[in-house]
Amino acid sequence: MTEQKLFKDVGLLRITEGARFRLLQISKGMQGDSFEVAPFPFLPDSQPVLDVYPEANLIVTQDTLMTLDGKIILNHENAHFEVELVSDMWMIIEDMKIDNDIRYRITFWNGKEESGYICGRKLLRSEKYFAVYTACDSMWTVYTYDRRKVFELEHAEKNMHLKGDFFLVEGLGHYVAYTLASKAGSVEEKCVFNHQQLILCSNYMEFALCSDIQGNTKIYHQGKYADFGKVEEVDLYDKAGIFVVRRNGRYFLHKFNGDTFADNICPYGADKVAYDQNDNTLLIGVNSVFHLVHV
């Protein structure tokens, strides 16, 4: 079976035949939907790997990264590449698949030339941040996608996570959370929760909730804390900007800033609560009556 992918704006056609790819050049005198092709002069032979990123002006093969006009950016040995637009630059992630501090090379590319690069042994990514780890100094460094360094943590722990505006450390029986957003200062000052049994973080706002082994619960929201005492259960309805705590068998809803939510429906708590993230609706049950709330 033969497949094709036409990159009409840059005059290229990729043909897939089995596990091999060929790149062809479209003649400039294209008439309507009919055109002639010729071998792409910089890759005349078929390739086992061939990806074209026309907006980034890049072609990736099994051993070469080049521009559409054949300029070699770098040669490699079977590295894995990802190319995507972040901020105002293209981000080229090269995985060398080797266990050292240059396993990942993150290059920033403006369509014509490099604009700096970052290397690391490990790579974490989220929608707002990426982090690299270098074993030579046991350092995690977190960046925004416009290449601004926002946090450094000397830590060899393997279980690290980026979640919303937080960098999480998952240890044996405890979690630690550092804010990456509003709180400037030292590592200690950016640590919002330490040695907690549970930490939940929002993907959308600078909000985190923690609970220790006794169930004592606190929240952090845009630089401010609130204490909710001992609870039996906690949950996070992230897209709605709401969290729920269960106390004495009843459920109490709160906005991320700590204010109560739906207290006109359940001022003394609800019997049941359920959340549908797709519809962004809450079902609140009080005394056998259910209320559907669009958040």
Side-chain angles (χ1 to χ4, degrees):
M1 185 70 70
T2 300
E3 299 177 359
Q4 61 86 15
K5 175 68 175 176
L6 179 62
F7 304 96
K8 186 175 179 180
D9 291 343
V10 294
L12 294 174
L13 174 68
R14 185 181 66 187
I15 297 293
T16 306
E17 296 176 309
R20 306 287 295 186
F21 303 88
R22 291 187 64 207
L23 196 60
L24 304 174
Q25 202 164 36
I26 298 171
S27 61
K28 293 185 178 180
M30 187 172 175
Q31 298 292 330
D33 294 328
S34 300
F35 53 87
E36 295 181 357
V37 297
F40 184 61
F42 309 107
L43 291 171
D45 301 323
S46 66
Q47 307 288 323
V49 175
L50 181 59
D51 294 309
V52 181
Y53 301 92
E55 296 86 357
N57 186 32
L58 290 173
I59 297 171
V60 177
T61 74
Q62 74 280 0
D63 55 15
T64 306
L65 177 68
M66 67 169 64
T67 61
L68 299 183
D69 58 3
K71 178 184 175 183
I72 303 296
I73 306 302
L74 59 88
N75 292 304
H76 61 89
E77 294 184 8
N78 295 315
H80 175 73
F81 279 85
E82 295 179 31
V83 179
E84 65 178 89
L85 184 64
V86 295
S87 187
D88 59 346
M89 288 277 182
W90 292 89
M91 186 179 189
I92 304 169
I93 302 175
E94 179 185 4
D95 182 357
M96 305 287 286
K97 301 183 188 256
I98 53 177
D99 190 24
N100 62 31
D101 279 353
I102 58 169
R103 170 172 180 169
Y104 292 97
R105 175 185 165 107
I106 301 102
T107 303
F108 292 91
W109 170 258
N110 65 11
K112 296 180 179 179
E113 59 185 6
E114 290 185 16
S115 180
Y117 66 89
I118 298 166
C119 291
R121 181 178 295 235
K122 298 175 185 175
L123 172 65
L124 298 176
R125 296 188 62 195
S126 66
E127 288 189 6
K128 298 176 68 173
Y129 306 94
F130 69 96
V132 295
Y133 174 74
T134 45
C136 64
D137 51 6
S138 297
M139 185 69 70
W140 282 96
T141 307
V142 183
Y143 302 86
T144 56
Y145 284 108
D146 59 5
R147 291 164 292 160
R148 180 171 54 90
K149 185 189 297 185
V150 295
F151 186 60
E152 284 186 321
L153 180 66
E154 188 175 351
H155 205 298
E157 180 65 57
K158 294 181 179 180
N159 296 319
M160 320 293 282
H161 308 278
L162 286 170
K163 183 74 178 292
D165 283 313
F166 298 90
F167 191 49
L168 297 179
V169 182
E170 181 181 349
L172 187 61
H174 74 272
Y175 290 80
V176 185
Y178 300 89
T179 179
L180 303 172
S182 63
K183 200 172 184 180
S186 66
V187 170
E188 291 76 16
E189 291 170 326
K190 291 180 77 69
C191 181
V192 297
F193 294 131
N194 197 3
H195 299 294
Q196 297 295 321
Q197 188 74 12
L198 171 71
I199 295 179
L200 301 176
C201 300
S202 168
N203 281 309
Y204 308 104
M205 304 180 211
E206 192 192 4
F207 172 85
L209 176 153
C210 79
S211 184
D212 64 17
I213 198 168
Q214 286 82 32
N216 297 304
T217 301
K218 294 181 181 179
I219 67 167
Y220 171 89
H221 178 252
Q222 297 179 348
K224 297 180 179 179
Y225 292 89
D227 193 333
F228 280 77
K230 190 171 183 178
V231 303
E232 299 154 4
E233 185 182 346
V234 295
D235 203 355
L236 190 64
Y237 302 151
D238 196 6
K239 190 176 178 182
I242 290 169
F243 67 96
V244 57
V245 299
R246 187 174 68 141
R247 188 181 292 111
N248 298 323
R250 302 192 66 78
Y251 296 93
F252 298 86
L253 297 157
H254 297 269
K255 299 177 184 177
F256 280 173
N257 63 5
D259 292 347
T260 56
F261 179 82
D263 51 359
N264 60 323
I265 297 174
C266 50
Y268 306 106
D271 302 313
K272 296 182 184 297
V273 291
Y275 177 59
D276 187 327
Q277 180 172 300
N278 293 328
D279 293 335
N280 203 22
T281 56
L282 272 168
L283 190 67
I284 304 173
V286 184
N287 298 327
S288 300
V289 177
F290 284 89
H291 306 261
L292 188 65
V293 180
H294 294 271
V295 185

PDB file of all heavy atoms in Angstrom, residues 50 64 66 111-112 216 236 284:
ATOM      1  N   LEU A  50      11.431   9.753   7.836  1.00  0.00           N
ATOM      2  CA  LEU A  50      11.345  10.996   7.064  1.00  0.00           C
ATOM      3  C   LEU A  50      10.139  11.796   7.533  1.00  0.00           C
ATOM      4  O   LEU A  50       8.992  11.434   7.276  1.00  0.00           O
ATOM      5  CB  LEU A  50      11.221  10.703   5.568  1.00  0.00           C
ATOM      6  CG  LEU A  50      11.140  11.917   4.625  1.00  0.00           C
ATOM      7  CD1 LEU A  50      12.369  12.804   4.778  1.00  0.00           C
ATOM      8  CD2 LEU A  50      11.004  11.456   3.181  1.00  0.00           C
ATOM      9  N   THR A  64      19.826  12.738   9.956  1.00  0.00           N
ATOM     10  CA  THR A  64      20.081  14.131   9.588  1.00  0.00           C
ATOM     11  C   THR A  64      18.914  15.023   9.959  1.00  0.00           C
ATOM     12  O   THR A  64      17.747  14.642   9.818  1.00  0.00           O
ATOM     13  CB  THR A  64      20.332  14.261   8.073  1.00  0.00           C
ATOM     14  OG1 THR A  64      21.379  13.382   7.684  1.00  0.00           O
ATOM     15  CG2 THR A  64      20.733  15.688   7.703  1.00  0.00           C
ATOM     16  N   MET A  66      17.821  18.738   8.645  1.00  0.00           N
ATOM     17  CA  MET A  66      18.188  19.703   7.613  1.00  0.00           C
ATOM     18  C   MET A  66      17.037  20.663   7.345  1.00  0.00           C
ATOM     19  O   MET A  66      15.897  20.412   7.724  1.00  0.00           O
ATOM     20  CB  MET A  66      18.562  18.977   6.315  1.00  0.00           C
ATOM     21  CG  MET A  66      17.403  18.253   5.647  1.00  0.00           C
ATOM     22  SD  MET A  66      17.786  17.672   3.971  1.00  0.00           S
ATOM     23  CE  MET A  66      19.089  16.499   4.325  1.00  0.00           C
ATOM     24  N   GLY A 111      13.305  29.158  12.555  1.00  0.00           N
ATOM     25  CA  GLY A 111      12.963  28.870  11.174  1.00  0.00           C
ATOM     26  C   GLY A 111      14.140  29.018  10.231  1.00  0.00           C
ATOM     27  O   GLY A 111      14.119  28.512   9.108  1.00  0.00           O
ATOM     28  N   LYS A 112      15.186  29.703  10.723  1.00  0.00           N
ATOM     29  CA  LYS A 112      16.378  29.911   9.904  1.00  0.00           C
ATOM     30  C   LYS A 112      17.655  29.500  10.627  1.00  0.00           C
ATOM     31  O   LYS A 112      18.614  29.044  10.011  1.00  0.00           O
ATOM     32  CB  LYS A 112      16.481  31.379   9.477  1.00  0.00           C
ATOM     33  CG  LYS A 112      15.355  31.839   8.571  1.00  0.00           C
ATOM     34  CD  LYS A 112      15.530  33.305   8.179  1.00  0.00           C
ATOM     35  CE  LYS A 112      14.402  33.759   7.253  1.00  0.00           C
ATOM     36  NZ  LYS A 112      14.547  35.187   6.884  1.00  0.00           N
ATOM     37  N   ASN A 216      -5.273  16.436  58.414  1.00  0.00           N
ATOM     38  CA  ASN A 216      -5.254  17.887  58.526  1.00  0.00           C
ATOM     39  C   ASN A 216      -4.974  18.493  57.148  1.00  0.00           C
ATOM     40  O   ASN A 216      -3.989  18.157  56.493  1.00  0.00           O
ATOM     41  CB  ASN A 216      -4.186  18.331  59.520  1.00  0.00           C
ATOM     42  CG  ASN A 216      -4.486  17.825  60.917  1.00  0.00           C
ATOM     43  OD1 ASN A 216      -5.557  18.079  61.460  1.00  0.00           O
ATOM     44  ND2 ASN A 216      -3.549  17.081  61.509  1.00  0.00           N
ATOM     45  N   LEU A 236     -10.633  17.304  44.205  1.00  0.00           N
ATOM     46  CA  LEU A 236     -10.379  18.519  43.445  1.00  0.00           C
ATOM     47  C   LEU A 236     -11.161  18.463  42.147  1.00  0.00           C
ATOM     48  O   LEU A 236     -11.004  17.518  41.364  1.00  0.00           O
ATOM     49  CB  LEU A 236      -8.868  18.631  43.154  1.00  0.00           C
ATOM     50  CG  LEU A 236      -8.339  19.944  42.581  1.00  0.00           C
ATOM     51  CD1 LEU A 236      -8.519  21.079  43.562  1.00  0.00           C
ATOM     52  CD2 LEU A 236      -6.862  19.788  42.235  1.00  0.00           C
ATOM     53  N   ILE A 284     -25.368  17.986  43.135  1.00  0.00           N
ATOM     54  CA  ILE A 284     -25.336  18.130  44.589  1.00  0.00           C
ATOM     55  C   ILE A 284     -26.626  17.540  45.153  1.00  0.00           C
ATOM     56  O   ILE A 284     -27.729  17.977  44.803  1.00  0.00           O
ATOM     57  CB  ILE A 284     -25.211  19.614  45.001  1.00  0.00           C
ATOM     58  CG1 ILE A 284     -23.976  20.233  44.358  1.00  0.00           C
ATOM     59  CG2 ILE A 284     -25.159  19.750  46.519  1.00  0.00           C
ATOM     60  CD1 ILE A 284     -23.866  21.736  44.580  1.00  0.00           C
TER      61      ILE A 284
END
